[in-house]
Coordinates of all heavy atoms in Angstrom, one line a residue:
S2 N 27.6 -90.9 61.2 CA 26.9 -92.0 60.4 C 27.8 -92.9 59.7 O 27.7 -94.1 59.7 CB 25.9 -91.3 59.5 OG 25.1 -92.3 58.8
R3 N 28.9 -92.3 59.1 CA 29.9 -93.2 58.4 C 30.6 -94.1 59.3 O 30.8 -95.2 59.0 CB 30.9 -92.3 57.6 CG 30.4 -91.7 56.3 CD 31.5 -91.1 55.5 NE 32.2 -90.0 56.2 CZ 31.8 -88.7 56.2 NH1 30.7 -88.4 55.5 NH2 32.5 -87.8 56.9
T4 N 30.9 -93.6 60.5 CA 31.6 -94.3 61.5 C 30.7 -95.5 62.0 O 31.2 -96.7 62.1 CB 32.0 -93.5 62.8 OG1 32.9 -92.4 62.3 CG2 32.7 -94.3 63.8
M5 N 29.4 -95.3 62.1 CA 28.5 -96.3 62.6 C 28.4 -97.4 61.4 O 28.2 -98.5 61.7 CB 27.2 -95.8 63.0 CG 27.2 -95.0 64.3 SD 27.9 -96.0 65.7 CE 29.5 -95.4 65.9
K6 N 28.3 -96.9 60.2 CA 28.2 -97.8 59.1 C 29.5 -98.7 59.0 O 29.4 -99.9 58.8 CB 28.0 -97.1 57.8 CG 27.8 -97.9 56.6 CD 26.6 -98.7 56.7 CE 26.4 -99.6 55.4 NZ 25.8 -100.9 55.7
K7 N 30.6 -98.1 59.3 CA 31.9 -98.9 59.3 C 31.9 -99.9 60.4 O 32.3 -101.1 60.2 CB 33.1 -98.0 59.5 CG 34.4 -98.7 59.4 CD 35.6 -97.8 59.8 CE 36.0 -96.9 58.6 NZ 37.2 -96.1 59.0
L8 N 31.3 -99.5 61.6 CA 31.2 -100.4 62.7 C 30.3 -101.6 62.4 O 30.6 -102.7 62.7 CB 30.8 -99.7 64.0 CG 30.7 -100.5 65.2 CD1 32.0 -101.2 65.6 CD2 30.1 -99.7 66.4
E9 N 29.2 -101.3 61.7 CA 28.3 -102.3 61.3 C 29.0 -103.3 60.3 O 28.8 -104.5 60.4 CB 27.0 -101.7 60.6 CG 26.1 -101.1 61.6 CD 24.9 -100.4 61.0 OE1 25.1 -99.8 59.9 OE2 23.8 -100.5 61.5
D10 N 29.7 -102.8 59.4 CA 30.4 -103.6 58.5 C 31.5 -104.5 59.2 O 31.6 -105.7 58.8 CB 31.1 -102.7 57.4 CG 30.2 -102.1 56.5 OD1 29.0 -102.5 56.4 OD2 30.6 -101.1 55.8
L11 N 32.1 -104.0 60.2 CA 33.1 -104.8 60.9 C 32.5 -105.9 61.7 O 33.0 -107.0 61.8 CB 33.9 -103.8 61.9 CG 35.0 -103.0 61.3 CD1 35.5 -101.9 62.3 CD2 36.1 -103.8 60.8
L12 N 31.3 -105.6 62.3 CA 30.6 -106.6 63.1 C 29.8 -107.5 62.2 O 29.5 -108.7 62.6 CB 29.6 -105.9 64.0 CG 30.3 -105.1 65.2 CD1 29.2 -104.3 65.9 CD2 31.1 -106.0 66.1
G13 N 29.5 -107.1 61.0 CA 28.7 -107.9 60.1 C 27.2 -108.0 60.4 O 26.5 -108.9 59.9
V14 N 26.7 -107.1 61.2 CA 25.3 -107.1 61.5 C 24.8 -105.6 61.5 O 25.6 -104.7 61.9 CB 25.0 -107.7 62.9 CG1 25.4 -109.2 62.9 CG2 25.7 -107.1 64.0
P15 N 23.5 -105.4 61.3 CA 23.0 -104.0 61.4 C 22.8 -103.7 62.9 O 22.3 -104.5 63.6 CB 21.7 -104.1 60.6 CG 21.3 -105.5 60.7 CD 22.5 -106.3 60.7
L16 N 23.2 -102.5 63.2 CA 23.0 -102.0 64.6 C 21.8 -101.0 64.7 O 21.3 -100.7 65.8 CB 24.2 -101.3 65.1 CG 25.5 -102.1 65.1 CD1 26.7 -101.3 65.5 CD2 25.4 -103.3 66.0
F17 N 21.3 -100.6 63.5 CA 20.3 -99.5 63.5 C 19.2 -99.9 62.5 O 19.5 -100.6 61.5 CB 20.9 -98.2 63.1 CG 21.9 -97.7 64.0 CD1 23.3 -97.9 63.7 CD2 21.7 -97.0 65.2 CE1 24.3 -97.5 64.6 CE2 22.7 -96.6 66.1 CZ 24.0 -96.9 65.8
E18 N 18.0 -99.5 62.8 CA 16.9 -99.5 61.8 C 16.9 -98.2 61.2 O 16.7 -97.2 61.9 CB 15.6 -99.8 62.5 CG 15.5 -101.2 63.2 CD 15.6 -102.3 62.2 OE1 15.1 -102.2 61.1 OE2 16.2 -103.4 62.6
R19 N 17.1 -98.1 59.9 CA 17.2 -96.8 59.2 C 15.9 -96.6 58.5 O 15.4 -97.5 57.7 CB 18.3 -96.8 58.3 CG 19.7 -96.7 59.0 CD 20.8 -96.8 58.0 NE 22.1 -96.5 58.6 CZ 22.8 -97.4 59.3 NH1 22.3 -98.6 59.5 NH2 23.9 -97.1 59.9
G20 N 15.3 -95.4 58.6 CA 14.1 -95.0 57.9 C 14.4 -93.7 57.3 O 15.5 -93.1 57.3
K21 N 13.3 -93.1 56.7 CA 13.5 -91.8 56.0 C 13.7 -90.8 57.2 O 12.8 -90.5 58.0 CB 12.3 -91.5 55.2 CG 12.4 -90.2 54.4 CD 11.2 -89.9 53.6 CE 11.4 -88.7 52.8 NZ 10.2 -88.4 52.0
N22 N 14.8 -90.1 57.1 CA 15.2 -89.1 58.1 C 15.1 -89.6 59.6 O 14.8 -88.9 60.5 CB 14.3 -87.9 58.0 CG 14.5 -87.2 56.7 OD1 15.6 -87.2 56.1 ND2 13.5 -86.6 56.1
K23 N 15.3 -90.9 59.8 CA 15.2 -91.5 61.1 C 16.2 -92.7 61.2 O 16.3 -93.5 60.3 CB 13.8 -91.9 61.4 CG 13.6 -92.3 62.8 CD 12.2 -92.7 63.1 CE 12.0 -93.2 64.5 NZ 10.6 -93.6 64.7
I24 N 16.8 -92.8 62.4 CA 17.7 -93.9 62.6 C 17.4 -94.3 64.1 O 17.3 -93.5 65.0 CB 19.2 -93.6 62.4 CG1 20.0 -94.8 62.6 CG2 19.7 -92.5 63.3 CD1 21.5 -94.6 62.2
E25 N 17.2 -95.6 64.3 CA 16.9 -96.1 65.6 C 17.7 -97.4 65.9 O 17.8 -98.2 65.0 CB 15.4 -96.4 65.6 CG 14.8 -96.6 67.0 CD 13.3 -96.7 66.9 OE1 12.6 -95.7 66.6 OE2 12.8 -97.8 67.2
M26 N 18.2 -97.5 67.1 CA 19.0 -98.6 67.5 C 18.1 -99.9 67.6 O 17.0 -99.8 68.2 CB 19.7 -98.4 68.8 CG 20.9 -99.3 69.0 SD 21.9 -98.7 70.4 CE 22.7 -97.3 69.7
N27 N 18.6 -101.0 67.0 CA 17.8 -102.2 67.1 C 18.4 -103.1 68.3 O 19.3 -102.6 69.0 CB 17.8 -103.0 65.8 CG 19.2 -103.4 65.3 OD1 20.2 -103.5 66.1 ND2 19.4 -103.7 64.0
E28 N 18.0 -104.3 68.4 CA 18.4 -105.2 69.5 C 19.9 -105.5 69.3 O 20.6 -105.5 70.4 CB 17.7 -106.6 69.4 CG 16.2 -106.4 69.9 CD 16.1 -106.0 71.3 OE1 16.8 -106.5 72.2 OE2 15.2 -105.2 71.5
N29 N 20.4 -105.7 68.1 CA 21.9 -105.8 68.0 C 22.7 -104.6 68.5 O 23.7 -104.8 69.2 CB 22.3 -106.0 66.5 CG 21.7 -107.2 65.9 OD1 21.4 -108.2 66.5 ND2 21.5 -107.2 64.6
G30 N 22.1 -103.4 68.2 CA 22.8 -102.2 68.7 C 22.8 -102.1 70.2 O 23.8 -101.7 70.8
R31 N 21.6 -102.5 70.8 CA 21.6 -102.4 72.3 C 22.5 -103.4 72.9 O 23.2 -103.1 73.9 CB 20.1 -102.6 72.7 CG 19.2 -101.4 72.4 CD 17.9 -101.5 73.1 NE 17.0 -102.3 72.2 CZ 16.3 -101.9 71.2 NH1 16.5 -100.7 70.8 NH2 15.5 -102.6 70.5
L32 N 22.7 -104.6 72.3 CA 23.6 -105.5 72.9 C 25.0 -105.0 72.7 O 25.9 -105.1 73.6 CB 23.4 -106.9 72.2 CG 24.4 -108.0 72.7 CD1 24.1 -108.3 74.1 CD2 24.2 -109.2 71.8
A33 N 25.3 -104.4 71.5 CA 26.6 -103.9 71.2 C 27.0 -102.8 72.2 O 28.1 -102.7 72.7 CB 26.7 -103.4 69.8
V34 N 26.0 -102.0 72.6 CA 26.2 -100.9 73.6 C 26.6 -101.5 74.9 O 27.6 -101.0 75.6 CB 25.0 -100.0 73.7 CG1 25.1 -99.0 74.9 CG2 24.8 -99.2 72.4
E35 N 25.9 -102.5 75.3 CA 26.3 -103.2 76.6 C 27.7 -103.6 76.6 O 28.5 -103.4 77.6 CB 25.4 -104.4 76.9 CG 24.0 -104.1 77.3 CD 23.2 -105.4 77.5 OE1 23.8 -106.3 78.1 OE2 22.1 -105.4 77.1
Y36 N 28.1 -104.3 75.6 CA 29.5 -104.8 75.5 C 30.5 -103.7 75.3 O 31.6 -103.7 75.8 CB 29.7 -105.8 74.4 CG 29.1 -107.2 74.8 CD1 27.9 -107.7 74.3 CD2 29.8 -108.0 75.7 CE1 27.5 -108.9 74.6 CE2 29.4 -109.2 76.0 CZ 28.2 -109.7 75.5 OH 27.7 -110.9 75.9
A37 N 30.1 -102.6 74.6 CA 31.0 -101.5 74.4 C 31.3 -100.8 75.8 O 32.4 -100.4 76.1 CB 30.4 -100.5 73.4
R38 N 30.3 -100.7 76.6 CA 30.5 -100.1 77.9 C 31.5 -101.0 78.7 O 32.4 -100.4 79.4 CB 29.1 -100.0 78.7 CG 28.2 -98.9 78.1 CD 27.0 -98.8 79.0 NE 25.9 -98.1 78.3 CZ 25.8 -96.8 78.2 NH1 26.7 -96.1 78.7 NH2 24.7 -96.3 77.6
K39 N 31.3 -102.3 78.7 CA 32.2 -103.2 79.4 C 33.7 -103.0 78.9 O 34.6 -103.0 79.7 CB 31.8 -104.6 79.3 CG 30.5 -104.9 80.1 CD 30.0 -106.3 79.8 CE 28.7 -106.6 80.5 NZ 28.2 -107.9 80.2
V40 N 33.8 -103.0 77.6 CA 35.1 -102.9 77.0 C 35.8 -101.6 77.4 O 37.0 -101.6 77.8 CB 35.0 -103.0 75.4 CG1 36.3 -102.6 74.7 CG2 34.7 -104.4 75.0
L41 N 35.1 -100.5 77.3 CA 35.7 -99.2 77.7 C 36.0 -99.2 79.2 O 37.0 -98.6 79.6 CB 34.7 -98.0 77.3 CG 34.6 -97.8 75.8 CD1 33.6 -96.7 75.5 CD2 35.9 -97.5 75.2
E42 N 35.1 -99.8 80.1 CA 35.4 -99.9 81.5 C 36.7 -100.7 81.7 O 37.6 -100.3 82.5 CB 34.3 -100.5 82.3 CG 33.1 -99.7 82.5 CD 31.9 -100.4 83.1 OE1 32.2 -101.5 83.7 OE2 30.8 -100.0 83.0
D43 N 36.9 -101.8 81.0 CA 38.1 -102.6 81.1 C 39.3 -101.8 80.6 O 40.4 -102.0 81.2 CB 37.9 -103.9 80.3 CG 37.0 -104.9 81.0 OD1 36.7 -104.7 82.2 OD2 36.6 -105.9 80.4
A44 N 39.1 -101.1 79.5 CA 40.2 -100.3 79.0 C 40.7 -99.2 80.1 O 41.9 -99.0 80.3 CB 39.9 -99.6 77.7
D45 N 39.7 -98.6 80.7 CA 40.0 -97.6 81.8 C 40.7 -98.3 82.9 O 41.7 -97.7 83.5 CB 38.8 -96.9 82.2 CG 38.2 -95.9 81.2 OD1 38.9 -95.6 80.2 OD2 37.0 -95.6 81.3
L46 N 40.2 -99.5 83.3 CA 40.9 -100.2 84.4 C 42.3 -100.6 84.0 O 43.2 -100.6 84.9 CB 40.0 -101.5 84.7 CG 40.5 -102.3 85.8 CD1 40.4 -101.5 87.2 CD2 39.6 -103.6 85.9
L47 N 42.5 -101.0 82.8 CA 43.9 -101.4 82.3 C 44.8 -100.2 82.5 O 45.9 -100.4 83.1 CB 43.8 -101.8 80.8 CG 45.2 -102.0 80.2 CD1 45.1 -103.3 79.4 CD2 45.6 -100.9 79.3
V48 N 44.4 -99.0 82.1 CA 45.2 -97.8 82.2 C 45.5 -97.6 83.7 O 46.7 -97.3 84.1 CB 44.6 -96.6 81.6 CG1 45.4 -95.3 81.9 CG2 44.5 -96.8 80.1
E49 N 44.5 -97.6 84.5 CA 44.6 -97.4 86.0 C 45.6 -98.3 86.6 O 46.5 -98.0 87.4 CB 43.3 -97.4 86.6 CG 43.2 -97.2 88.1 CD 41.9 -97.4 88.7 OE1 40.9 -97.0 88.0 OE2 41.8 -98.0 89.8

């Protein structure tokens, strides 16, 4: 949770909708996941 809060701070946008005992990814988060997958794929390709 702390890591995700730090990531939100770095991006400057909320990635999750937080409720009482519940956290759910919002549209920002879903878009971030798409780009995160691409970045990690590119990083793997770089190493290869």
Side-chain angles (χ1 to χ4, degrees):
S2 184
R3 280 191 302 272
T4 301
M5 290 302 102
K6 183 64 178 144
K7 185 189 281 187
L8 182 58
E9 287 177 318
D10 292 343
L11 286 167
L12 294 172
V14 297
L16 300 175
F17 302 95
E18 297 295 328
R19 290 176 172 80
K21 186 177 181 181
N22 296 327
K23 186 178 180 184
I24 186 171
E25 195 172 294
M26 199 168 284
N27 63 21
E28 289 296 317
N29 296 335
R31 287 188 276 279
L32 181 63
V34 168
E35 284 181 42
Y36 282 105
R38 289 185 198 279
K39 290 177 186 177
V40 167
L41 291 177
E42 285 175 19
D43 286 346
D45 290 342
L46 184 61
L47 175 133
V48 170
E49 179 184 320

